[in-house]
């Protein structure tokens, strides 16, 4: 049985049966090419296919260790502003993140330009009763008009109930005069707050914490009425001095829950959980005897909210992975906690990470989630001009990556995330690597991107049927159908497009999802066409077109160790490619074609130097998954030499940059 065809196909391949076991057979040629690619390093390593006995595989460049990087942009606040708080919102309704910077004498409105820069709003907000003296600035759309409003707690005389001020956005970044109402609760300075819809009526509510009098009163809730006014306060828990609060649906019932950290009567830090009933009331449970800072995130990428607790007593961060039912796995410690923190997926791996505002150095420290509740401290903290006191996260330049805004000393800096995220960037024809062009069902493709593997390992399929997972769990689905895989590296996956990727054997849009390290990377869409031919070639443009003696049809000496020579007019030639489309009889995914002769449903035309060649067979190569084989006779050429070889099928003509060498008999 030959490499090119089953023995019973002698009538189709009569001239090839005698040379397959010769030293210059196509198998030997591919062995030489594989050896050549390894010895030459990058000559054949990046984005090109090479060959083994039973499949086509690829060697890709090494993965550089991913680094998380940020670009610092300092904001101009003018004179007289010593900021101590920031709120993020869309104050003008243009769907671009804006900033409200809390200064002692005013609130500066900075409208986002969409590129990480800002311009001043129509006017700053001031308090006629005196300087602002609380850090509880909150941004939320209290009346659902598409523009973000602002609320601030204003402390008054000692021992007296405090005011809550609400500015409703009026358009173009301007605000109406503030509405004020007595909180009926005494808050000492400073108090902190957040907004969330905890009773499910569609309108944000206010949760205040820290600084309440009497102490150990826990979080205090004001239910929003939808017009910028709020209900009387509700004390959610007593017996703890709350220092930080976060909200998420921790038990998966569609209702927001509240986790808060602080110091109970006992004096031992604790984090407590309030499970929401959907009406503004809650049931209580203890999470851990740890505190004082708490943030919610998805630190293992399973879609269930987890907790990160910053514990000052042990100077550590503890990750608690949520089970999805309101309970958590045991805390996992990462030592070195240093300050307030926010959670965001900083590197695009599908898991939340942490950015910490150092209270002792002019740095923002990055903790990258390992997925097991622990964190790895990034070796490139973000340098600031002063010690950070306040930190928020949002996408300020619209690139889909979380950025940071930080108050450091007397200034505010935007930290734009310039990290190259793990993602799929292309799904290209595995022979031509043509960018942005459709690919055909059943054909071979290269999926390019980053983060498929965590190191520079390479994994090859070793048998047919091809596996749908390689490299310890790397897989690809096309429209939900698992794809047979030939090769996996950190930046490239070679796969077969499933024959049934589009129902009814039609053209259309296909969604590719790569799963790596247990995480599904962001979906990538590409187009499938019924027929999209391409010819395999070397980096030089030399086609994988095989003479009757097993050598490549190239100029003599052009490939050391492979003994290529020009094809002769009148001789048979085998061309290897992909993308000829449907075959008869049909084939399965990843299984090869040794059991039957499978001809292309649409007969292609082959042009050599623009001259049509006689095609004796076009279909699937028997022993290679997804590889098309076209047998032709070299036509008479007026001027032999190095000539373009092209396939035309289904209205698609392949590139004229792929060549073979032809000579007269």
């Amino acid at each position: 049985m030959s490499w090119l065809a089953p023995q019973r196909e002698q009538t189709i391949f009569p001239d090839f049966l005698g040379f397959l076991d010769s030293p210059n057979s196509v198998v030997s040629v591919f062995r030489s090419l594989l050896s050549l690619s390894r010895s030459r390093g990058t000559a054949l390593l990046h984005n090109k296919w090479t060959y083994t006995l039973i499949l086509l595989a690829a060697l890709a460049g090494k993965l550089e260790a991913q680094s998380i990087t940020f670009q610092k942009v300092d904001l101009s606040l003018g004179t007289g502003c010593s900021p101590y708080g920031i709120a993020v919102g869309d104050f003008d309704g243009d769907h671009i993140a804006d900033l409200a910077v809390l200064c002692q004498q005013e609130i500066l409105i900075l409208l986002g330009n969409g590129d990480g820069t800002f311009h001043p709003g129509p006017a700053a907000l001031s308090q006629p009763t005196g300087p602002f003296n609380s850090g509880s600035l909150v941004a939320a759309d209290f009346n659902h008009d598409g523009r973000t409003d602002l609320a601030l707690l204003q402390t008054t005389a000692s021992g007296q109930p405090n005011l809550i001020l609400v500015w409703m956005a009026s358009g173009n970044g301007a605000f109406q005069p503030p509405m004020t109402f007595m909180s009926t609760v005494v808050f000492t300075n400073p108090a902190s707050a957040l907004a969330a819809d905890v009773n499910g009526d569609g309108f944000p509510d206010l949760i205040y914490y820290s600084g309440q009098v009497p102490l150990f009163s826990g979080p205090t809730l004001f239910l929003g009425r939808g017009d910028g006014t709020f209900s009387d306060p509700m004390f959610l828990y007593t017996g703890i001095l709350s220092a930080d609060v976060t909200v998420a649906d921790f038990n998966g019932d569609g209702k927001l829950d509240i986790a808060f950290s602080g110091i109970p009567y006992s004096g031992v830090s604790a984090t407590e959980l309030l499970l929401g009933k959907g009406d503004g009331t809650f049931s209580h449970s203890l999470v851990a005897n740890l505190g004082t800072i708490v943030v919610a995130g998805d630190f293992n990428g399973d879609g269930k909210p987890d907790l990160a607790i910053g514990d000052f007593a042990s100077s550590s961060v503890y990750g608690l992975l949520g089970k999805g039912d309101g309970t958590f796995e045991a805390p996992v410690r990462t030592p070195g906690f240093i300050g307030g923190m926010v959670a965001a997926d900083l590197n695009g791996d599908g898991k939340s990470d942490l950015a910490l505002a150092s209270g002792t150095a002019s740095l923002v420290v990055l903790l990258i989630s390992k997925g097991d509740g622990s964190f790895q401290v990034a070796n490139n903290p973000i340098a600031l001009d002063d010690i950070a006191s306040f930190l928020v996260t949002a996408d300020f330049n619209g690139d889909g990556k979380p950025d940071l805004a930080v108050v450091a000393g007397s200034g505010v800096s935007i930290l734009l995330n310039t990290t190259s995220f793990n993602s799929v960037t292309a799904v290209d024809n595995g022979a031509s690597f043509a960018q942005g062009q459709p690919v055909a069902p059943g054909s071979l493709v290269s999926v390019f991107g980053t983060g498929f593997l965590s190191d520079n390992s390479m994994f090859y399929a070793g048998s047919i049927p091809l596996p749908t997972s390689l490299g310890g769990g790397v897989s690809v689905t096309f429209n939900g159908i698992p794809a047979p895989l030939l090769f996996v590296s950190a930046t490239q996956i070679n796969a077969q497009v499933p024959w049934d990727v589009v129902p009814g054997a039609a053209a259309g849009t296909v969604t590719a999802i790569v799963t790596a390290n247990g995480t599904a990377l962001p979906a990538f869409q590409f187009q499938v066409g019924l027929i999209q031919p391409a010819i395999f070639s070397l980096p030089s443009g030399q086609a994988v077109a095989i003479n009757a003696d097993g050598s490549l049809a190239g100029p003599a000496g052009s490939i050391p160790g492979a003994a290529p020579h020009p094809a002769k007019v009148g001789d048979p030639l085998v061309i290897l490619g992909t993308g000829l489309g449907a075959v008869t009889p049909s084939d399965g995914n990843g299984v090869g074609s040794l059991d039957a002769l499978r001809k292309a449903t649409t007969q292609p035309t082959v042009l050599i130097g623009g001259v049509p060649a006689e095609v004796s067979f076009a279909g699937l190569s028997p022993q290679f998954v997804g590889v098309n084989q076209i047998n032709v006779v070299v036509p008479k050429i007026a001027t032999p030499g190095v000539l373009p070889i092209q396939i035309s099928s289904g209205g698609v003509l392949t590139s004229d940059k792929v060549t073979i060498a032809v000579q007269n008999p």
Side-chain angles (χ1 to χ4, degrees):
M1 188 167 293
S2 75
W3 176 83
L4 290 174
Q7 197 69 30
R8 56 185 171 78
E9 297 177 24
Q10 291 185 19
T11 55
I12 296 179
F13 304 109
D15 297 319
F16 292 93
L17 298 179
F19 70 82
L20 290 172
D21 295 324
S22 67
N24 288 329
S25 72
V26 68
V27 171
S28 298
V29 169
F30 290 160
R31 281 198 185 107
S32 299
L33 290 174
L34 183 59
S35 173
L36 178 65
S37 69
R38 288 173 175 163
S39 64
R40 284 190 175 183
T42 59
L44 290 179
L45 285 179
H46 185 60
N47 294 5
K48 289 298 178 182
W49 293 71
T50 186
Y51 307 87
T52 65
L53 293 181
I54 62 171
L55 53 84
L56 293 171
L59 298 172
K62 294 182 178 179
L63 174 69
E64 299 295 333
Q66 186 189 30
S67 60
I68 299 178
T69 57
F70 286 82
Q71 176 187 359
K72 185 168 77 75
V73 179
D74 296 326
L75 298 185
S76 175
L77 302 181
T79 59
C81 177
S82 182
Y84 56 99
I86 307 172
V88 179
D90 180 12
F91 305 126
D92 54 2
D94 64 354
H95 307 292
I96 297 173
D98 307 315
L99 287 177
V101 180
L102 179 62
C103 311
Q104 190 175 49
Q105 300 295 332
E106 60 186 0
I107 299 173
L108 298 179
I109 303 301
L110 301 178
L111 302 179
N113 297 320
D115 59 358
T117 64
F118 298 81
H119 63 277
L125 308 181
S126 61
Q127 160 61 302
T129 62
F132 294 122
N133 54 17
S134 168
S136 62
L137 184 63
V138 176
D141 185 0
F142 295 124
N143 61 353
H144 275 192
D145 65 353
R147 296 184 294 266
T148 305
D149 312 305
L150 290 169
L152 178 71
L153 183 90
Q154 178 75 347
T155 59
T156 54
S158 176
Q160 298 298 313
N162 304 140
L163 292 173
I164 293 179
L165 291 79
V166 178
W167 292 267
M168 304 299 290
S170 58
N172 299 320
F175 290 81
Q176 300 173 17
M179 297 184 292
T180 63
F181 61 95
M182 298 299 295
S183 71
T184 72
V185 178
V186 177
F187 291 90
T188 58
N189 182 31
S192 301
L194 58 79
D197 178 16
V198 298
N199 65 344
D201 66 354
F203 298 110
D205 310 309
L206 291 175
I207 304 170
Y208 286 95
Y209 54 96
S210 79
Q212 293 100 323
V213 176
L215 298 179
F216 305 104
S217 59
T220 302
L221 173 65
F222 296 81
L223 294 176
R225 297 191 177 108
D227 59 358
T229 65
F230 296 85
S231 70
D232 291 336
M234 302 168 57
F235 294 101
L236 301 182
Y237 186 73
T238 58
I240 190 169
L241 173 60
S242 55
D244 200 15
V245 169
T246 190
V247 297
D249 180 10
F250 293 108
N251 61 352
D253 64 354
K255 303 165 186 176
L256 279 182
D257 311 309
I258 301 173
F260 62 99
S261 260
I263 303 174
Y265 288 127
S266 63
V268 178
S269 294
T271 296
E272 311 274 349
L273 181 63
L274 298 173
L275 293 175
K277 298 179 181 179
D279 59 358
T281 63
F282 301 82
S283 60
H284 166 262
S285 64
L286 174 68
V287 173
N289 288 314
L290 302 164
T292 309
I293 305 296
V294 61
V295 297
D298 185 3
F299 300 114
N300 61 351
D302 66 353
K304 303 171 185 177
D306 312 310
L307 287 175
I309 300 174
D311 185 59
F312 280 104
S314 60
S315 298
S316 299
V317 171
Y318 291 85
L320 289 78
L321 299 181
K323 298 179 181 179
D325 60 358
T327 64
F328 299 83
E329 303 286 351
V332 180
R333 181 189 179 197
T334 301
F337 172 71
I338 52 176
M341 56 191 182
V342 295
D345 183 5
L346 302 176
N347 60 356
D349 66 354
K351 299 186 287 289
S352 298
D353 310 301
L354 296 172
L356 285 79
S358 171
T360 58
S362 302
L363 298 171
V364 171
V365 178
L366 308 176
L367 297 184
I368 309 308
S369 176
K370 295 181 180 179
D372 60 358
S374 65
F375 298 86
Q376 175 68 47
V377 180
N379 59 5
N380 55 334
I382 306 170
L384 303 174
D385 297 328
D386 208 331
I387 294 176
S389 59
F390 196 87
L391 187 67
V392 295
T393 181
D395 180 9
F396 294 115
N397 59 355
D399 63 355
K401 303 174 185 179
D403 308 310
L404 302 170
V406 58
V407 175
S410 60
V412 173
S413 296
I414 302 298
L415 308 177
L416 297 177
N417 193 334
T418 56
T419 306
S420 177
F421 272 20
N422 293 339
S423 63
V424 175
T425 57
V427 176
D428 294 338
N429 186 298
S432 67
F433 299 100
Q435 297 181 2
Q437 296 184 10
V439 299
S443 67
L444 296 182
V445 293
S446 279
V447 180
F448 293 107
T450 57
F452 302 156
L453 296 174
S454 60
D455 55 26
N456 59 359
S457 300
M458 299 179 186
F459 296 89
Y460 300 83
S463 62
I464 294 175
L466 295 178
T468 56
S469 178
L470 277 176
V474 179
S475 62
V476 184
T477 61
F478 296 137
N479 279 356
I481 303 172
L485 304 184
L486 297 94
F487 168 82
V488 169
S489 76
T491 58
Q492 182 174 341
I493 300 171
N494 292 341
Q496 182 191 28
V497 179
W499 290 99
D500 51 345
V501 67
V502 177
T509 300
V510 171
T511 299
I513 296 179
V514 171
T515 298
N517 300 315
T519 299
L521 302 188
F524 180 87
Q525 290 190 326
F526 63 99
Q527 297 298 310
V528 162
L530 297 182
I531 299 173
Q532 297 292 322
I535 300 171
F536 286 103
S537 63
L538 306 183
S540 63
Q542 165 66 52
V544 180
I546 305 158
N547 293 311
D549 62 0
S551 65
L552 291 182
S558 60
I559 306 174
H565 66 76
K568 294 182 180 180
V569 171
D571 278 359
L573 191 69
V574 171
I575 305 160
L576 297 185
T578 194
L580 291 185
V583 294
T584 303
S586 61
D587 197 19
N589 297 327
V591 298
S593 189
L594 278 173
D595 62 321
L597 180 66
R598 290 180 167 84
K599 296 182 179 180
T601 302
T602 301
Q603 177 84 345
T605 298
V606 174
L607 303 174
I608 298 178
V611 179
E614 178 187 346
V615 176
S616 57
F617 171 79
L620 289 179
S621 181
Q623 291 174 298
F624 286 164
V625 174
V627 177
N628 292 126
Q629 175 176 317
I630 305 176
N631 296 355
V632 302
V633 176
V634 179
K636 184 177 180 179
I637 303 294
T639 307
V642 177
L643 304 171
I645 182 169
Q646 298 172 275
I647 299 173
S648 177
S649 186
V652 179
L653 180 65
T654 63
S655 169
D656 61 358
K657 304 303 180 183
V658 178
T659 63
I660 65 169
V662 177
Q663 68 181 23
N664 287 320

